[in-house]
Amino acid sequence: MKAIIITVGDEILIGQVIDTNSAWIGNVFNEKGIDIVEIVSVQDKLEAIESAIQQAMNKADLVVMTGGLGPTKDDITKVAIANYFGVEMVYSEETFERIKIIFEKFGRTVGESHKAQCFMPANAILLKNKMGTAPGMLIQHENKMLVSLPGVPYEMKSIITDELLPYLQKNHPSSSHIFHKTIMTSGEGETIIADIIEPLLENMPNYIKLAYLPSLGHVRVRFTGKHQDREILEKEVSHYGEIAMKALGKIVYGVDDISLEQSLQDLCSNLDLKLTTAESCTGGFISHKITSIPGSSSHFIGGIVSYSNDLKKNILNVNEETLIKHGAVSEQTVLEMLHGILAITKANVGIAISGIAGPDGGSEEKPVGTIWIAYGNDSNQVAVKINSTKDRLKNIEYASHVALNKLRLFILENYI
Amino acid sequence: MKAIIITVGDEILIGQVIDTNSAWIGNVFNEKGIDIVEIVSVQDKLEAIESAIQQAMNKADLVVMTGGLGPTKDDITKVAIANYFGVEMVYSEETFERIKIIFEKFGRTVGESHKAQCFMPANAILLKNKMGTAPGMLIQHENKMLVSLPGVPYEMKSIITDELLPYLQKNHPSSSHIFHKTIMTSGEGETIIADIIEPLLENMPNYIKLAYLPSLGHVRVRFTGKHQDREILEKEVSHYGEIAMKALGKIVYGVDDISLEQSLQDLCSNLDLKLTTAESCTGGFISHKITSIPGSSSHFIGGIVSYSNDLKKNILNVNEETLIKHGAVSEQTVLEMLHGILAITKANVGIAISGIAGPDGGSEEKPVGTIWIAYGNDSNQVAVKINSTKDRLKNIEYASHVALNKLRLFILENYI
């Protein structure tokens, strides 16, 4: 079954609202084996909506619309639907009664404007909305289906989960399954990853597809398969996923959209390792990433954001001579920072980082983007230098990612 | 000028990635007076991309594509573009040289597969990508324009800002001007803001529109005018903007999309105040926000992420009795944390924060979302409690914002 999502609303087109509804629907449909072939966002204009419905109904078996069903005057989706099918709008007493009950519950009375909300295209089946006043609508037409839902996320989700999916299950049982396996990697670019794994995947059946999804500091490698037999599908996708994981080795930090921070937390928790950080140029971003994971207090003791040289000296005991001779952005300084933070916090492992995030502060010898990272434990400390970009936020994010990944690799090599 | 955005990539359609690129582009184009009439997300398939280009070029003056330009085999956007225009793919030595330079900087060698990245539709003008290897492309065709950009957000943003917008400005100057004035507020909701300013704006000409853009902890109040006469436009928009700013008073922290952190930095720099932080539940996010602003080292000394009670005691000198009697999430603890961090760092002003970010760790007395914030200087400290949500990341972000805004108001009241 091929599906298209149409979202209606100027607020999406002018970037005032990010369309998270479509991603949610995409995810749920994908798991049920429904292929979303297109997502379209259109303006709050009758012609635009009608034209989008027309095109989508030509291409797909199922069209799901969200937005444009509320009580205000710009809600013209229903009219566009009625026009497309060439049917009248009819008044739904059932909907009005439901609105009245909801309003009475909140001690309000129903106004005349709510009656407009109760007109529906004559061929629509109503889908109950437990979370709000506007019902969803489903129209079955020549083996195709159009569904229109409110744009409020929790209302849309509730109607899809409780009404639409059971309806589809009953009336259009799926013949093929979809199965994904995503491998999370850090440390190599997509080209090198492709060079490593693609020669090993020559016999992969063509119902399994491979995609590389790069972002700052990491690449997700995704296998997606589609097959009538769920068992064969899972077995084959897992088989080729395993081959890739083995070949990629330690650059793999997890599967299925786990974050690097979560992976590091799992590793530390399993090995009962306590972690600390001493950050200069990343300014707290590394500890923010670590603490954004629920349960991080089990392994993260805390750390210092030693932004000024005074804090580096007074709290972390970095030598004044080191700062004068080598500068705050140097191998010697980050190693002393690491030594200091491990001593104060008594953590098992730690990260220290100092660099020139930019946009100013660079020199010929140490241009913007020069960042020193130290990682290790009491008995073994390593420092590496990275050369990042001229973009401050990118430098902060990239250096933090590299530091966390270096520590992950250090733990793998020294504790396992 | 009418524009359509096409985003290419199965990862959007299956809901693995939320399309934030389109919202960013929508926002930027809207400010420049370019109307986005549609956003379309399509599969990584040649026919799908070609058909989307065809339809978009029929409807719009400007088509912007993102995604599908990386070095691996699923990158077929360029081929679809060449097919649509009926042109050959030609090899760009310039692009290859740029890739080589970037790779050499990171101590890596360029592989054969990078050469594929260097083929471009013959009619394309290259748009420089300062942030990555894949350049953007611009094709001018019969008064219409097609632009193709990498899907990695910071690369896409950099090319639009530094290359595309200046190109449009030069080659397609708009006949009517658009002028915005955005007032940044923190501390009141949009309903109260509307009640304060709307009675004062009754005579505002109807070519100026007012929008409230709420997000976590703040509301942007945006005046947007459109007029042929740039001078009249700027004068009138500024006039009504000033009226609103005066009426809103101290909840205004700046204009024109300045961040709260930037506003606080400006304030501290002007008054020569040094700032420090002691963070527990926000885990470094406050110092990250502060240090994400270029030049933050001028006022930010640094801080402690005292995630464990041990760090609260050993570094910040919080009394063990306080922690036992009142708990880590209490008025007494945050006041002692503030006292401690001010003493260690000798900063003029500071923030201390401790709370239950969730999702676990709450109790009946202190449910998830209970957060204590202390702020002040050596002679005057204030503590406030906020009750946030059950969502960890939202709590971290909201509490950080409130803390920074409370400190801003404290400085206004005590130093000006």
Side-chain angles (χ1 to χ4, degrees):
Chain A
M1 186 179 267
K2 283 186 187 175
I4 289 179
I5 302 175
I6 301 173
T7 60
V8 179
D10 291 344
E11 66 278 13
I12 291 171
L13 297 171
I14 65 168
Q16 199 165 24
V17 162
I18 291 174
D19 171 25
T20 54
N21 280 353
S22 296
W24 188 88
I25 299 172
N27 205 11
V28 169
F29 276 22
N30 184 251
E31 281 180 11
K32 300 287 173 192
I34 302 168
D35 274 343
I36 302 218
V37 294
E38 208 170 289
I39 299 170
V40 191
S41 299
V42 298
Q43 292 178 297
D44 283 324
K45 281 185 185 159
L46 197 58
E47 323 83 83
I49 301 172
E50 273 186 50
S51 145
I53 294 175
Q54 182 100 46
Q55 287 183 20
M57 290 293 281
N58 285 342
K59 287 190 225 171
D61 309 302
L62 168 62
V63 174
V64 177
M65 307 181 68
T66 71
L69 286 181
T72 49
K73 65 179 176 187
D74 56 352
D75 299 324
I76 45 187
T77 301
K78 283 189 298 190
V79 176
I81 294 171
N83 287 354
Y84 170 75
F85 289 108
V87 299
E88 296 287 299
M89 296 287 277
V90 296
Y91 181 74
S92 161
E93 186 64 34
E94 179 193 341
T95 302
F96 187 71
E97 288 304 317
R98 279 188 51 84
I99 294 177
K100 246 170 74 180
I101 291 168
I102 294 169
F103 269 63
E104 275 161 13
K105 203 172 135 191
F106 288 98
R108 292 180 173 186
T109 49
V110 184
E112 269 308 298
S113 59
H114 293 102
K115 290 209 166 172
Q117 224 184 322
C118 305
F119 280 88
M120 305 289 162
N123 56 347
I125 300 168
L126 299 188
L127 300 175
K128 255 183 220 150
N129 179 354
K130 282 194 231 163
M131 301 289 178
T133 54
M137 296 181 304
L138 185 151
I139 295 162
Q140 187 84 50
H141 183 75
E142 294 171 1
N143 286 329
K144 301 209 169 191
M145 220 184 308
L146 182 139
V147 175
S148 180
L149 304 172
V152 181
Y154 57 84
E155 297 186 14
M156 177 280 292
K157 290 176 190 176
S158 140
I159 298 175
I160 287 190
T161 310
D162 300 335
E163 300 285 322
L164 180 60
L165 292 180
Y167 181 94
L168 291 176
Q169 181 79 17
K170 197 177 148 198
N171 296 283
H172 302 270
S174 166
S175 60
S176 72
H177 299 272
I178 290 193
F179 187 70
H180 298 280
K181 188 170 186 91
T182 306
I183 301 172
M184 311 297 291
T185 75
S186 182
E188 294 293 355
E190 62 178 304
T191 314
I192 289 177
I193 291 174
D195 287 347
I196 295 173
I197 65 176
E198 293 199 357
L200 306 172
L201 304 175
E202 275 172 8
N203 297 322
M204 188 164 76
N206 60 12
Y207 60 81
I208 304 179
K209 303 262 174 275
L210 180 60
Y212 303 93
L213 312 171
S215 49
L216 209 55
H218 54 129
V219 177
R220 288 181 292 156
V221 181
R222 191 184 65 207
F223 292 82
T224 303
K226 194 171 178 178
H227 200 274
Q228 306 92 286
D229 188 320
R230 173 110 201 152
E231 215 169 300
I232 292 176
L233 176 66
E234 288 194 14
K235 199 182 133 219
E236 289 293 305
V237 170
S238 302
H239 171 69
Y240 286 97
E242 289 294 331
I243 289 177
M245 277 181 71
K246 262 189 204 149
L248 294 171
K250 284 183 179 167
I251 70 166
V252 176
Y253 63 80
V255 293
D256 295 341
D257 288 309
I258 191 175
S259 67
L260 178 59
E261 299 78 55
Q262 179 74 61
S263 159
L264 184 62
Q265 176 167 319
D266 295 346
L267 200 57
C268 288
S269 296
N270 289 339
L271 297 164
D272 199 19
L273 293 175
K274 303 291 179 193
L275 168 61
T276 187
T277 54
E279 300 182 62
S280 187
C281 64
T282 48
F285 190 67
I286 297 179
S287 67
H288 163 58
K289 293 300 278 182
I290 292 169
T291 57
S292 64
I293 307 295
S296 53
S297 57
S298 70
H299 76 299
F300 184 60
I301 294 178
I304 311 277
V305 180
S306 55
Y307 219 55
S308 69
N309 280 351
D310 277 351
L311 286 205
K312 291 185 186 76
K313 285 185 287 185
N314 300 342
I315 305 189
L316 295 175
N317 290 315
V318 174
N319 283 311
E320 179 138 30
E321 279 162 47
T322 305
L323 290 168
I324 293 169
K325 196 171 161 198
H326 303 284
V329 178
S330 65
E331 179 172 10
Q332 291 79 359
T333 297
V334 289
L335 286 170
E336 289 186 28
M337 285 168 68
L338 178 60
H339 190 80
I341 195 70
L342 287 171
I344 299 168
T345 62
K346 300 183 182 63
N348 304 101
V349 290
I351 293 168
I353 190 160
S354 182
I356 299 153
D360 303 318
S363 65
E364 196 154 328
E365 194 200 349
K366 294 176 185 174
V368 167
T370 304
I371 297 165
W372 276 97
I373 300 170
Y375 52 93
N377 57 20
D378 262 346
S379 53
N380 188 4
Q381 296 104 35
V382 189
V384 292
K385 186 172 85 161
I386 59 174
N387 301 304
S388 190
T389 69
K390 301 218 176 304
D391 183 285
R392 183 178 183 87
L393 291 178
K394 196 176 156 187
N395 291 343
I396 291 172
E397 199 184 323
Y398 179 66
S400 299
H401 190 92
V402 171
L404 290 166
N405 194 47
K406 290 284 183 194
L407 183 66
R408 179 184 70 86
L409 293 170
F410 178 88
I411 293 173
L412 288 181
E413 277 153 30
N414 288 275
Y415 292 89
I416 286 179
Chain B
M1 186 178 268
K2 283 186 187 174
I4 288 180
I5 302 174
I6 301 174
T7 60
V8 178
D10 291 345
E11 66 278 13
I12 291 172
L13 298 172
I14 66 166
Q16 196 166 24
V17 161
I18 291 173
D19 172 26
T20 55
N21 280 353
S22 297
W24 187 89
I25 299 172
N27 202 15
V28 169
F29 277 20
N30 184 250
E31 283 184 8
K32 300 288 173 192
I34 302 167
D35 278 342
I36 302 216
V37 295
E38 207 169 288
I39 299 169
V40 191
S41 300
V42 298
Q43 291 178 298
D44 283 325
K45 281 187 184 155
L46 197 58
E47 323 84 79
I49 302 172
E50 274 187 50
S51 143
I53 294 174
Q54 182 101 46
Q55 288 182 20
M57 290 293 279
N58 286 342
K59 287 189 225 172
D61 309 301
L62 169 62
V63 174
V64 176
M65 306 181 68
T66 72
L69 285 183
T72 49
K73 64 177 178 186
D74 56 350
D75 300 323
I76 46 186
T77 301
K78 285 189 296 191
V79 176
I81 294 171
N83 287 354
Y84 170 75
F85 288 109
V87 300
E88 295 289 299
M89 296 287 277
V90 296
Y91 181 74
S92 160
E93 187 63 34
E94 179 194 341
T95 302
F96 187 70
E97 288 303 318
R98 279 187 52 81
I99 294 177
K100 246 171 71 181
I101 291 167
I102 295 170
F103 269 62
E104 274 162 12
K105 200 174 142 193
F106 289 98
R108 291 180 175 189
T109 48
V110 183
E112 268 308 299
S113 54
H114 292 102
K115 292 210 164 172
Q117 222 184 325
C118 304
F119 281 88
M120 307 287 163
N123 56 348
I125 301 168
L126 298 189
L127 301 176
K128 256 183 220 148
N129 179 356
K130 284 194 229 163
M131 300 291 177
T133 53
M137 296 181 303
L138 185 151
I139 296 162
Q140 188 86 49
H141 183 75
E142 294 172 1
N143 286 329
K144 301 208 168 190
M145 218 184 308
L146 182 137
V147 174
S148 180
L149 304 172
V152 182
Y154 58 83
E155 297 186 14
M156 177 280 293
K157 290 177 189 175
S158 142
I159 298 175
I160 287 190
T161 310
D162 300 334
E163 300 285 322
L164 180 60
L165 293 180
Y167 181 95
L168 291 176
Q169 181 80 13
K170 196 177 149 200
N171 295 285
H172 301 269
S174 163
S175 65
S176 72
H177 298 273
I178 290 196
F179 186 72
H180 298 277
K181 190 173 183 90
T182 306
I183 301 171
M184 310 298 291
T185 75
S186 182
E188 295 291 357
E190 62 178 301
T191 316
I192 289 177
I193 292 174
D195 286 348
I196 295 173
I197 64 176
E198 293 199 357
L200 307 171
L201 303 175
E202 275 172 9
N203 298 322
M204 187 164 77
N206 59 14
Y207 60 81
I208 304 178
K209 303 264 175 273
L210 180 60
Y212 302 94
L213 312 172
S215 48
L216 211 53
H218 54 131
V219 177
R220 288 180 292 155
V221 181
R222 192 180 66 201
F223 293 80
T224 303
K226 197 169 180 179
H227 199 274
Q228 306 92 287
D229 188 319
R230 174 107 201 154
E231 214 170 300
I232 292 176
L233 177 66
E234 287 193 15
K235 198 181 134 220
E236 289 292 305
V237 169
S238 302
H239 172 68
Y240 287 97
E242 289 295 330
I243 290 177
M245 276 181 71
K246 261 188 204 151
L248 293 172
K250 283 185 182 165
I251 70 165
V252 177
Y253 62 81
V255 293
D256 295 341
D257 289 309
I258 190 176
S259 66
L260 179 58
E261 299 78 53
Q262 179 75 61
S263 160
L264 184 62
Q265 176 167 319
D266 295 346
L267 200 56
C268 287
S269 296
N270 290 338
L271 296 165
D272 198 21
L273 293 175
K274 303 291 179 195
L275 168 61
T276 187
T277 54
E279 301 183 61
S280 187
C281 64
T282 48
F285 190 68
I286 297 178
S287 67
H288 163 59
K289 293 299 278 181
I290 292 169
T291 57
S292 64
I293 308 295
S296 53
S297 57
S298 70
H299 76 299
F300 184 59
I301 294 180
I304 311 276
V305 180
S306 54
Y307 219 56
S308 68
N309 280 351
D310 277 352
L311 287 204
K312 291 185 186 75
K313 284 185 289 186
N314 300 342
I315 305 189
L316 295 174
N317 289 316
V318 173
N319 284 309
E320 178 137 29
E321 280 161 46
T322 306
L323 290 168
I324 291 168
K325 197 171 161 197
H326 302 285
V329 178
S330 65
E331 179 172 11
Q332 292 80 359
T333 296
V334 289
L335 286 169
E336 289 186 27
M337 284 168 68
L338 178 60
H339 191 79
I341 195 72
L342 287 170
I344 299 168
T345 62
K346 300 182 183 61
N348 305 102
V349 290
I351 292 168
I353 191 160
S354 182
I356 298 152
D360 302 317
S363 64
E364 196 155 330
E365 193 200 349
K366 295 175 185 174
V368 168
T370 305
I371 296 164
W372 276 97
I373 300 169
Y375 53 93
N377 56 20
D378 262 346
S379 53
N380 188 3
Q381 297 104 34
V382 190
V384 292
K385 186 172 85 162
I386 59 173
N387 300 305
S388 189
T389 67
K390 302 222 173 300
D391 183 288
R392 182 177 183 87
L393 291 177
K394 210 169 150 184
N395 290 342
I396 290 172
E397 198 183 324
Y398 179 67
S400 299
H401 190 92
V402 171
L404 290 166
N405 194 47
K406 290 285 182 194
L407 183 67
R408 178 184 71 87
L409 293 170
F410 178 87
I411 294 173
L412 289 180
E413 278 152 30
N414 289 273
Y415 292 89
I416 288 181

